[in-house]
Structure formats: C-alpha cells, structure tokens
Amino acid sequence: YTLRKLDSVQESSSLGDVGEYVGKTGRILVAVGPGQTGKIRLQVGGNTVDVLATTDDAPIAIGDEAIVVELEGTKVRVAPYDAGAPRA
C-alpha cells in the first residue's frame, strides 16, 4: 500500500492576529468584487487556510493572486497583486 500525506486545508471561522494576515498573498478560489464576497487561500502560521474575502477594487478572478490589505472580523479585504509592481 502507498500512503500519501494530504495537505490540511482549514476553513477559517475566527481569524487570529492582524499581522498574520495583512501583507500575505494568496490565490483567489471564489471570485471577489465590490459588493461580492469571495474566498482566498492563504498560508498562515504553517497552515493553509481558506478565508472569506472582499475588495474595494476591480473584480479579482478565480486563480488570480491577491494581497491582504486589511482584516475585517472573519473576512479579509484584498487587492489585486502583481509581483512585478513596485510597492508603496
């Protein structure tokens, strides 16, 4: 028999410290846009977590990379992320 370790993915019901999330980048799992809640997958504290996400920016499509800019209760606010763009 061959055994494989499966990556653990957790649904976040309560988010921890702001510093654990703000500035993290991840992939959008459910499209997000102004007034449209989506979902992002992040690596936080050595764990993979799926977190509800909102944005004030243009819609972000499934598979696109986004950066967390703010923690809002049990959701994160995200913005499109371009690894090649200069950061302020």
Side-chain angles (χ1 to χ4, degrees), residues 4-40:
R4 291 190 296 170
K5 180 181 176 193
L6 299 176
D7 289 331
S8 173
V9 176
Q10 301 173 352
E11 282 284 329
S12 182
S13 59
S14 65
L15 303 182
D17 184 41
V18 171
E20 290 183 304
Y21 291 85
V22 174
K24 295 277 187 188
T25 60
R27 293 277 173 208
I28 297 296
L29 300 177
V30 177
V32 60
Q36 174 188 354
T37 300
K39 191 178 282 189
I40 186 170

Side-chain angles (χ1 to χ4, degrees), residues 39-53:
K39 191 178 282 189
I40 186 170
R41 178 164 288 168
L42 302 166
Q43 292 293 319
V44 179
N47 296 308
T48 301
V49 293
D50 295 342
V51 183
L52 293 176

